[in-house]
Amino acid sequence: MKSIRSKLVVTLSIAITGLVLSILLATDIAVDSWVDNEFNRGLHSKAGMLMTLVHEDEEGLAFNFSSEFMPEFDGQLEPEYFQMWTEEGVFTRSQSLNLFALKNLKFEELKLGETKIMSTQLPDGRDGRVIYTRFEPQLDSHSHRNFYDGVSRPHHSTLTLAYAASSEEVDFILWLIDVIFIVTTVTVIVFIRLFVRKSVDSSLAPLNKLNRDISRLSIADKSAVITIKEPVKELQPIVDSLNAFIQENRQLYFREKRLTSDIAHELKTPIAELINMAEVAILFPNEKEFEADFKPEVLKISQRLKSIVSNLLLLHKYSDEALPKQDACDLNQVILRILEKYDLERIKFEFQDDIPAIVSNLFALESIITNLVNNAKQYSPDKSVVTVCTLLNKEDKLQFTVTNELKVPLTEDDLSQLFDPLWQKDSARTSNDNFGLGLSIAKALSKAIDAELQVSLSGQNITFSLIIS
């Protein structure tokens, strides 16, 4: 099973660690290069200074060097070494070379102007670096002016300089930098891991609390809702959707609970009547007057039970189920065929001639129209007129309406319950012919054929409208 927490921790840890490591690695390389370059620059500077001490005049080469100002070359302070060669051999070398058995630096063949830096082992056994360079000495212009007569420069000697110094301090600094880099890297990885995990846990805390609140929620508690003390922008839409979902399911729960109670109430009365009649028949087996009424009453009660059960099964069958729409028909003709069964003195049919033919489910249409007309006749005054109408509405959709005067006034709150199964305005349920299922069946069949069944009040008149797509 995938874990959001684990994925976030791993992803953020890898991303942040990679970024930090890249920065640290780049910094380490830059610092190492800078320290190394600074050391090499120091070698170049010291070699350049030694080259400036060599000059050539009419008498030959001269080296103006004093160890008083550079004690490192006589071994008094961390020995450093230099040696110069001419074409004939060794020209000069530092006094520090005389302190050890190895009194000469290694010679390196170079071209004039060429410079080379190499790692080496110093005469004293330390690790170091040596810089080689081949150069021409300076000319003494006071004693040898014809060197600058502008015609030509006479050939004179070239020298090779080798200057060596210990690199152990630099190597130690580079090693220390690398150790610091490794320690910092490990520390950063551990810190990032802990920090990311802490941050993710903190960020997911509202989600975990939401999960706990949902697990404790009871749909039977009318006042129970999900709330977040400190609203989170990402979670608030989820909380709102969950509350809407809970509210809808709570309504369904109480609706089913009421429906179960209503079904029990509807079945209880005829069953009690059958029991009472059976008990009377047993107590008075020879009562002829009772026997004459017994069978018709049993049949009537049984038919009522059958009607209730059949309508409940019909409602259950077509709830939330789509019906095939394969029947082409003329809605006006369908309505006329149904109205032939009724007393036309109480029904007024107003129809629009040019309405188009439709393709729908004929069984569903006939059932919806029948239930709506039956409902209008049943709940309107005896001598009132029920108006049935067909038309094209403003959206060019076919609309079928049934309007009747109300026998018992309804409120807007009643309208929201009209389509609930077994709901009746008369709480005493005195009617033996109506069970509050007709409108529920009409509503279920409307959804099954993608039609919309609406209801509206206008004074003492109620209108049911079926809008067919």
Side-chain angles (χ1 to χ4, degrees):
M1 182 182 296
K2 292 183 179 179
S3 169
I4 296 177
R5 177 182 177 276
S6 300
K7 188 173 182 179
L8 282 174
V9 170
V10 172
T11 302
L12 290 175
S13 298
I14 292 175
I16 298 175
T17 301
L19 178 62
V20 173
L21 283 182
S22 300
I23 295 173
L24 289 176
L25 183 60
T27 303
D28 179 68
I29 294 173
V31 172
D32 285 354
S33 300
W34 180 81
V35 172
D36 197 61
N37 290 335
E38 285 297 309
F39 183 79
N40 290 340
R41 185 181 298 178
L43 293 178
H44 278 284
S45 298
K46 187 66 74 72
M49 182 192 68
L50 291 172
M51 287 189 290
T52 60
L53 299 178
V54 181
H55 64 274
E56 185 179 7
D57 55 19
E58 295 175 348
E59 298 179 358
L61 294 170
F63 182 53
N64 297 326
F65 173 80
S66 175
S67 61
E68 180 181 354
F69 301 104
M70 288 183 285
E72 64 270 20
F73 290 115
D74 62 7
Q76 296 180 14
L77 178 66
E78 292 191 4
E80 295 180 3
Y81 312 92
F82 72 84
Q83 188 168 345
M84 296 185 190
W85 294 268
T86 62
E87 295 176 354
E88 290 78 15
V90 176
F91 171 65
T92 185
R93 62 186 179 188
S94 61
Q95 290 294 324
S96 55
L97 286 172
N98 296 324
L99 300 175
F100 306 99
L102 183 61
K103 300 184 181 300
N104 290 288
L105 297 175
K106 181 182 177 182
F107 178 75
E108 188 74 18
E109 286 286 348
L110 298 173
K111 296 179 182 179
L112 184 63
E114 183 181 1
T115 300
K116 184 184 295 185
I117 296 178
M118 303 170 58
S119 297
T120 188
Q121 187 174 35
L122 302 180
D124 55 20
R126 294 180 297 165
D127 293 329
R129 296 184 192 177
V130 58
I131 180 172
Y132 292 94
T133 182
R134 189 170 179 82
F135 68 99
E136 292 181 343
Q138 300 181 80
L139 301 176
D140 190 340
S141 59
H142 295 287
S143 61
H144 213 160
R145 294 181 184 277
N146 60 342
F147 282 12
Y148 295 94
D149 59 3
V151 178
S152 62
R153 177 175 178 170
H155 175 73
H156 57 277
S157 301
T158 59
L159 291 89
T160 299
L161 168 66
Y163 163 66
S166 173
S167 62
E168 288 187 347
E169 185 176 354
V170 173
D171 293 338
F172 173 76
I173 293 174
L174 295 176
W175 174 82
L176 183 62
I177 292 173
D178 290 339
V179 170
I180 293 174
F181 167 75
I182 294 172
V183 173
T184 304
T185 299
V186 174
T187 304
V188 165
I189 291 175
V190 174
F191 173 76
I192 289 175
R193 182 73 175 179
L194 296 175
F195 172 77
V196 168
R197 182 175 294 177
K198 183 74 174 178
S199 299
V200 170
D201 289 342
S202 176
S203 300
L204 291 179
L207 187 60
N208 294 329
K209 183 180 181 301
L210 177 62
N211 184 45
R212 291 194 298 271
D213 291 343
I214 293 174
S215 64
R216 299 192 191 106
L217 194 68
S218 173
I219 199 170
D221 186 357
K222 294 182 179 180
S223 61
V225 292
I226 299 174
T227 57
I228 302 180
K229 292 183 180 179
E230 298 180 0
V232 180
K233 184 177 180 181
E234 290 77 12
L235 287 183
Q236 194 59 46
I238 299 176
V239 171
D240 295 339
S241 299
L242 282 172
N243 282 328
F245 177 77
I246 291 168
Q247 183 64 26
E248 181 179 355
N249 280 272
R250 181 177 289 129
Q251 291 175 355
L252 291 174
Y253 168 76
F254 285 110
R255 176 187 171 187
E256 294 300 321
K257 187 176 180 181
R258 182 190 62 79
L259 179 59
T260 303
S261 175
D262 289 344
I263 291 173
H265 189 280
E266 289 291 342
L267 296 179
K268 179 180 178 181
T269 301
I271 291 173
E273 292 176 356
L274 287 175
I275 293 173
N276 289 334
M277 293 180 67
E279 289 176 347
V280 171
I282 293 172
L283 289 175
F284 305 100
N286 299 320
E287 190 69 39
K288 294 182 179 181
E289 292 183 2
F290 175 77
E291 186 178 354
D293 297 331
F294 178 76
K295 293 178 181 179
E297 286 296 324
V298 169
L299 179 61
K300 183 179 178 181
I301 295 171
S302 300
Q303 287 176 340
R304 186 183 178 205
L305 281 172
K306 178 184 177 182
S307 179
I308 294 173
V309 174
S310 297
N311 285 328
L312 286 172
L313 290 175
L314 186 65
L315 177 63
H316 177 73
K317 180 178 180 180
Y318 295 111
S319 293
D320 302 319
E321 180 178 342
L323 289 175
K325 297 187 292 183
Q326 300 173 346
D327 303 319
C329 57
D330 185 329
L331 184 60
N332 288 334
Q333 295 298 324
V334 174
I335 295 172
L336 285 172
R337 188 167 62 250
I338 294 173
L339 294 182
E340 289 177 353
K341 306 173 185 177
Y342 296 93
D343 180 8
L344 297 180
E345 292 182 0
R346 286 199 58 197
I347 298 176
K348 180 181 178 182
F349 183 29
E350 299 176 352
F351 58 89
Q352 185 173 329
D353 289 330
D354 56 350
I355 62 173
I358 59 173
V359 177
S360 187
N361 187 286
L362 188 57
F363 163 76
L365 278 177
E366 290 178 344
S367 299
I368 294 169
I369 295 169
T370 301
N371 278 295
L372 292 180
V373 174
N374 285 339
N375 180 79
K377 286 190 64 181
Q378 177 67 33
Y379 295 103
S380 61
D382 292 338
K383 295 184 179 180
S384 62
V385 176
V386 175
T387 302
V388 178
C389 179
T390 58
L391 71 153
L392 285 175
N393 61 17
K394 296 179 181 179
E395 300 176 355
D396 290 332
K397 292 183 178 180
L398 189 56
Q399 184 170 329
F400 162 72
T401 63
V402 178
T403 304
N404 65 277
E405 182 183 348
L406 287 171
K407 185 188 297 184
V408 178
L410 295 176
T411 64
E412 291 293 335
D413 291 338
D414 293 333
L415 293 186
S416 62
Q417 304 179 71
L418 277 179
F419 299 112
D420 290 347
L422 298 173
W423 182 85
Q424 296 183 51
K425 178 69 173 178
D426 182 8
S427 59
R429 302 176 185 271
T430 56
S431 174
N432 291 324
D433 301 319
N434 299 285
F435 320 110
L437 289 170
L439 292 180
S440 300
I441 293 172
K443 185 72 171 179
L445 290 173
S446 300
K447 291 182 179 179
I449 60 172
D450 297 325
E452 184 179 0
L453 183 58
Q454 300 175 347
V455 61
S456 61
L457 274 177
S458 178
Q460 290 298 313
N461 291 332
I462 186 170
T463 300
F464 290 91
S465 301
L466 179 70
I467 302 172
I468 304 172
S469 301

